[in-house]
Amino acid sequence: MSELPATATLSDLYAAAESAFATGDFAKAIGPLCTLLGLEGGQDDAALALAICAVRLEAFDQALPLAAESLRHGSRHPRAFCIVGMCELLRGNKPAAQENLALATRMGRNHPEFREDMRLAQRLLLIRHFG
C-alpha cells in the first residue's frame, strides 16, 4: 500500500485500512483508522476496527476501551459486544462479560453475516460458565 495523500478522503482511509485487513497486516491498518477516528462520520466504525486490530495484536487492554467507544458512538455490531465481553472475561469481570457476550449472541442470531461473531460469543459464554 502506498502512502496516503495529505488530502485523503474518508473513502481513501477506509480503503487503506481494508487493504491492510485483507493482508492480515493489522498494525498497518492502525494509521488510517486513527485518522478516521478523528474525523466526523468515521468514529464508530474506526473505533470498532481499531478494537479488532488490538484483539488481533493481543493488546486486550486497548481493545476494551476502543470497543466501548464504538458502542458509545452508536455501534450495534455484535463484534463490539463480543470484544467487550471477551476483554471483560479476561479481566475477571464475569457479570459484564456474560452480559455483553449474551447481547452479541442474540444480535448475531438473526443475521447470517454476524454468524462468526455469534459463535465466538457462544464459545466464550461456555468458557465463562464452565471455566
Side-chain angles (χ1 to χ4, degrees):
M1 179 178 81
S2 61
E3 287 295 316
L4 290 169
T7 58
T9 65
L10 285 175
S11 296
D12 294 333
L13 293 165
Y14 277 116
E18 286 177 19
S19 174
F21 262 79
T23 63
D25 192 348
F26 300 102
K28 196 172 193 175
I30 292 172
L33 291 171
C34 284
T35 302
L36 282 165
L37 195 59
L39 298 175
E40 186 66 34
Q43 293 94 352
D44 57 337
D45 291 338
L48 179 54
L50 282 165
I52 293 166
C53 288
V55 166
R56 295 296 180 123
L57 296 169
E58 298 183 8
F60 301 108
D61 288 342
Q62 294 162 347
L64 178 58
L66 288 164
E69 181 71 12
S70 173
L71 294 172
R72 274 192 296 280
H73 280 284
S75 174
R76 289 293 166 247
H77 196 293
R79 188 165 294 164
F81 290 102
C82 192
I83 290 171
V84 169
M86 178 183 62
C87 291
E88 291 291 7
L89 187 62
L90 291 171
R91 293 174 63 192
N93 188 351
K94 292 181 180 182
Q98 182 169 339
E99 178 183 338
N100 283 282
L101 292 169
L103 277 168
T105 300
R106 281 193 302 272
M107 294 173 85
R109 194 173 293 139
N110 298 320
H111 299 281
E113 67 272 22
F114 299 146
R115 188 140 304 144
E116 186 67 30
D117 299 308
M118 182 187 74
R119 287 185 184 132
L120 175 59
Q122 288 172 329
R123 283 192 297 268
L124 291 170
L125 278 169
L126 286 172
I127 289 169
R128 189 257 185 249
H129 285 291
F130 296 111

